[in-house]
Amino acid sequence: VVSSALGAVCPTAGDKLERLLDCFRLSKHRRGAVLSSPGNARSAGADGRLQIIVEGSARVLAVIGTPVEKPAAEGKPGTHKASTLKQVGSLLPGQVVNGMSQLAGEPEQFVVICESAEVTLISASLFQLSRLLGAGVLDSLRAVAEELAAGYRERLGALAEKADVQRERRARVIGAGCVPAISGG
């Protein structure tokens, strides 16, 4: 599985491919598992691992508005945070899960959640990838990650605009029903 996925991402030859395969880890995640969260940042040193979907799909979600504290449900102690999540994209096999934090050095901006019953990821240390593949491959991956993030931000902006228009309409409707008629006299 890893060699076929890796061959699709970056074709390379024999011995080099074996060394590259050795640096990858395979992991499986169930539907609903969080693969990345807003604010996630690159780990210091050689611990930073780039994650690529091999099988399955994931949803890319944006947090809309400010999370608010809500009282806990009856019978459950404490409070919990409630916020609105809107889907701004999807990730499919061959796409990078945590590209902005690992490749661009920026904190992740979106929540990535497994959509398929099972999602298989491969992950590798950026240090090892850079050493084995060269900076050119990582630069290409960085450009793709930045392009995807820009598309997600654009989609998020469109969703926010739509929400503003809907709020304005509701306010006008409520305002029209609440304003008393002015009688002439």
Side-chain angles (χ1 to χ4, degrees):
V1 172
V2 176
S3 64
S4 63
L6 193 54
V9 173
C10 50
T12 186
D15 184 46
K16 193 173 184 180
L17 180 60
E18 286 301 318
R19 286 185 309 213
L20 195 54
L21 286 172
D22 288 341
C23 76
F24 277 91
R25 293 183 195 156
L26 189 69
S27 61
K28 294 183 183 272
H29 307 270
R30 293 180 184 221
R31 179 181 288 125
V34 176
L35 301 176
S36 183
S37 298
N40 285 1
R42 182 184 337 193
S43 301
D47 292 342
R49 297 188 71 81
L50 186 68
Q51 298 177 331
I52 301 169
I53 294 180
V54 177
E55 294 177 335
S57 63
R59 290 181 290 151
V60 179
L61 305 166
V63 178
I64 305 291
T66 305
V68 295
E69 291 288 334
K70 292 181 81 175
E74 191 174 315
K76 294 185 181 177
T79 61
H80 67 279
K81 291 201 179 224
S83 57
T84 304
L85 293 174
K86 293 286 186 181
Q87 185 166 347
V88 293
S90 294
L91 294 176
L92 301 171
Q95 292 185 304
V96 176
V97 172
N98 57 347
M100 290 308 292
S101 63
Q102 296 304 309
L103 296 166
E106 297 178 15
E108 293 295 332
Q109 300 172 1
F110 303 100
V111 179
V112 179
I113 297 176
C114 295
E115 183 172 38
S116 302
E118 186 173 83
V119 174
T120 303
L121 297 177
I122 54 174
S123 66
S125 155
L126 285 178
F127 173 75
Q128 289 175 323
L129 286 177
S130 178
R131 188 172 53 84
L132 291 169
L133 298 175
V137 172
L138 292 182
D139 287 342
S140 296
L141 287 171
R142 181 180 304 111
V144 169
E146 288 172 346
E147 188 176 312
L148 277 174
Y152 298 151
R153 285 190 296 271
E154 187 176 307
R155 173 81 175 121
L156 179 58
L159 288 171
E161 258 182 56
K162 183 177 177 182
D164 288 345
V165 168
Q166 289 173 342
R167 271 193 294 280
E168 283 180 26
R169 284 183 188 154
R170 269 186 260 141
R172 282 194 300 257
V173 168
I174 291 169
C178 296
V179 177
I182 300 174
S183 55

